[in-house]
Amino acid sequence: MPQAAAPPVILGNEPGSFPHSVLAERHPAIIRQVREAFPYGPALHRSLDALLAACTDGVIDPLPPDAHDRDRWRVWGLDAHTGSSWFDVPWLWSESYFYRRLLEAVGYFGPGPWQGIDPFRPFKLAELEAPETDEELAALDALEGRPVEEQARALLHGSLWGNRADLGFRLSDAGAEQRAAVPGLVADDSERFWKLLPQAGADSGIGFGTGFRSGSGSGSGMGTVCLVADNAGRELVPDLLLAAHLLEHRRCGRVVLHVKPYPYYVSDATTADVVDAVRKLSGAPGAAAEHGRRLWRAMAEGTLTVRAHPFSAAPLPYARMPDDLRAEFAAATLTIVKGDLNYRRLVGDSRWAPTTPFADVTAYFPGPVAALRTLKSDVITGLDAGTEAALVEAEGQRWRTGGTHALIQVRG
C-alpha cells in the first residue's frame, strides 16, 4: 500500500464540485447521446430512462442475479453501496458502476441482438476519421529522418498530449479542445523515463523505414514495457506510435498494451479500438501507413500484445490490484500509465496535497512506473511548492481540471 497516508477518498456529493458535475450533468448527457446514436427499441429505451432516473435522483441497485460478473462486483464493493445515493459513494466507484449499468441497459452483455455492440463506437469512429486525426498523421512525414532522440521526444509528448482527446471530458466541457494547452509541464521526469529503458540500438538510427527486427521478442533480453492505455482514437494512435518507436529502436523487446475488457468511460480503448487504430494508420498516406503495417506485423508476431484484464475496468485503485496483474507489472522493465482516470487509480482518488511526493503514493507499485497525463480532475501529487503556488495564483484551482496542463512523472 502507499507509504503516504491517504486523505479520504473523493465523493461526488459536494454541489459545485467537479465530481458532482460529472454525476449530475455528464452522465445524463452520455445517456441521452447513446440513446440517440442507435435505433434501440422500446425495451432498451425504458432501461435507459430507468438508469437516468436512478443515477440522478435514485439509489444504486444491485446487478441482476444472472449477471455474469455479479460476484466480481460484490467483491469490488457492490453490497456495501447498494441502496446508497450515487453521490454518496466513492466517485471512482460511482463512475465505474455507471458505465457497467449503461452497458446492461443497452443489452451489451446479452443475450439478444445488441450483445457486444459498443454504444460509444459511433463517437470513437467519428473522432478517428476527423480531419484533425489526418493532420496529426501527416505530421509523421516531417519526423522521418530526424535524429532518434528527437523522434523519441516528439512521440513521447504526442502520447502525453493525446490525452486531451477524451470524448467523455469534452461532453461535459464543450470548450475544452479550444483552450490552448500550456506547453510547460507541471512536472517533467522525461529524462528519468528514458533512463529506465535500454539505450537505442547502435544500428537503430535508420528512422522508421524498416520493420521490427525478427527475434526481438521476449527472448531478446531487452525486457517488456507495459502500456496501460486510456482513450481510443486520437489518443490511442500516438500511444501505438510510441510503442512502435520503443520496439523499432530496441528500447524494449516487447510491449504489452493494457486496454479495457469492455466499453468504458465513453472513449476508453478496447481491443476493437486497437484494431481500428492500426487500420487507420495502415490506410493513411505517407509514413503513417508503414507504421500501421509494422504494428500489425508486431501484433501477429507477439512483440506487441493486447491484454484486457478484468481489473482494468474495476472501480478500485491499483493498490488493490490482483496478484496476477501485480506479477505482470513486477516483471516489466517499465509500466506506462496513461491518462487521468488511470492516474486517479494509480495514486488513489483522494484530495492529496499537491506537494505529496509521487514516489510515496506509488511506493506500493511492484515495478518502475511512469504516468503520462493531462490534468482533468482534482487529484494531483508530485508538484514542488513553487509550481503549485504559481498555478494557483494564475488560475485559482482551474488548472486541475481544464485539460490545459500536463505532467510526466516517474518512479523508478
Side-chain angles (χ1 to χ4, degrees):
M1 294 295 292
Q3 292 180 351
V9 297
I10 293 175
L11 307 180
N13 57 6
E14 182 183 341
S17 69
F18 183 71
H20 188 277
S21 72
V22 169
L23 299 178
E25 300 168 19
R26 182 187 296 185
H27 287 180
I30 289 170
I31 292 174
R32 288 190 289 269
Q33 291 213 0
V34 166
R35 181 184 175 121
E36 295 169 0
F38 287 92
Y40 295 126
L44 296 189
H45 283 162
R46 287 192 294 272
S47 296
L48 287 168
D49 291 342
L51 178 61
L52 177 61
C55 71
T56 52
D57 299 312
V59 297
I60 293 168
D61 294 322
L63 292 173
D66 60 349
H68 73 283
D69 55 352
R70 182 170 178 265
D71 290 342
R72 180 181 298 148
W73 274 93
R74 293 183 70 183
V75 171
W76 289 346
L78 179 57
D79 290 348
H81 298 319
T82 296
S84 299
S85 165
W86 290 78
F87 295 84
D88 291 336
V89 303
W91 181 41
L92 175 62
W93 198 98
S94 186
E95 281 192 290
S96 295
Y97 193 59
F98 166 79
Y99 287 100
R100 171 59 183 84
R101 294 308 300 257
L102 180 59
L103 292 183
E104 180 185 314
V106 297
Y108 181 86
F109 295 111
W114 295 100
Q115 185 177 30
I117 302 298
D118 183 348
F120 311 126
R121 184 167 173 78
F123 316 127
K124 294 175 178 178
L125 290 180
E127 183 186 81
L128 200 58
E129 297 303 324
E132 294 86 351
T133 305
D134 293 332
E135 292 168 8
E136 289 161 4
L137 294 184
L140 292 171
D141 294 340
L143 205 57
E144 289 288 289
R146 305 301 300 173
V148 174
E149 295 78 8
E150 185 177 330
Q151 294 175 4
R153 286 193 300 271
L155 293 170
L156 179 63
H157 280 259
S159 178
L160 168 65
W161 285 110
N163 188 229
R164 280 167 59 87
D166 182 334
L167 290 169
F169 175 63
R170 298 205 303 269
L171 279 175
S172 61
D173 187 352
E177 199 163 18
Q178 281 66 53
R179 288 194 296 271
V182 178
L185 304 185
V186 299
D188 187 1
D189 292 339
S190 304
E191 291 188 15
R192 192 179 305 169
F193 177 95
W194 292 113
K195 286 179 180 178
L196 288 173
L197 299 171
Q199 293 298 307
D203 63 339
S204 62
I206 51 178
F208 294 107
T210 60
F212 301 131
R213 297 159 182 80
S214 61
S216 62
S218 58
S220 67
M222 287 184 286
T224 295
V225 168
C226 290
L227 175 52
V228 182
D230 191 29
N231 297 307
R234 285 174 59 201
E235 177 174 359
L236 184 59
V237 167
D239 291 346
L240 289 168
L241 293 172
L242 176 61
H245 180 87
L246 297 178
L247 290 167
E248 175 70 11
H249 296 285
R250 299 176 180 253
R251 306 306 297 259
C252 64
R254 180 169 172 256
V255 173
V256 179
L257 183 67
H258 286 256
V259 298
K260 301 301 188 293
Y262 50 73
Y264 190 65
Y265 277 72
V266 182
S267 56
D268 278 31
T270 65
T271 302
D273 299 319
V274 175
V275 176
D276 285 340
V278 176
R279 283 180 172 153
K280 173 67 176 179
L281 282 164
S282 301
E290 184 57 33
H291 287 296
R293 287 190 288 269
R294 285 198 310 275
L295 284 162
W296 193 281
R297 217 160 38 237
M299 293 178 71
E301 295 172 354
T303 52
L304 173 61
T305 60
V306 180
R307 181 88 158 96
H309 195 287
F311 192 78
S312 292
L316 303 172
Y318 273 102
R320 295 179 60 182
M321 74 181 84
D323 290 342
D324 63 330
L325 191 58
R326 180 177 293 274
E328 286 190 41
F329 292 149
T333 302
L334 176 65
T335 297
I336 303 170
V337 176
K338 280 297 308 292
D340 199 80
L341 170 62
N342 286 326
Y343 187 88
R344 290 163 55 196
R345 297 186 69 197
L346 178 65
V347 304
D349 202 30
S350 299
R351 294 188 187 277
W352 296 100
T355 54
T356 305
F358 177 75
D360 286 0
V361 298
T362 58
Y364 72 91
F365 202 84
V369 62
L372 308 184
R373 175 213 183 191
T374 57
L375 277 57
K376 292 176 289 191
S377 66
D378 292 305
V379 177
I380 185 72
T381 68
L383 301 191
D384 64 55
T387 297
E388 182 196 3
L391 289 167
V392 172
E393 182 178 1
E395 303 181 36
Q397 296 298 326
R398 293 189 305 276
W399 60 273
R400 293 174 178 255
T401 59
T404 55
H405 296 274
L407 59 78
I408 300 173
Q409 292 176 323
V410 176
R411 196 222 72 213

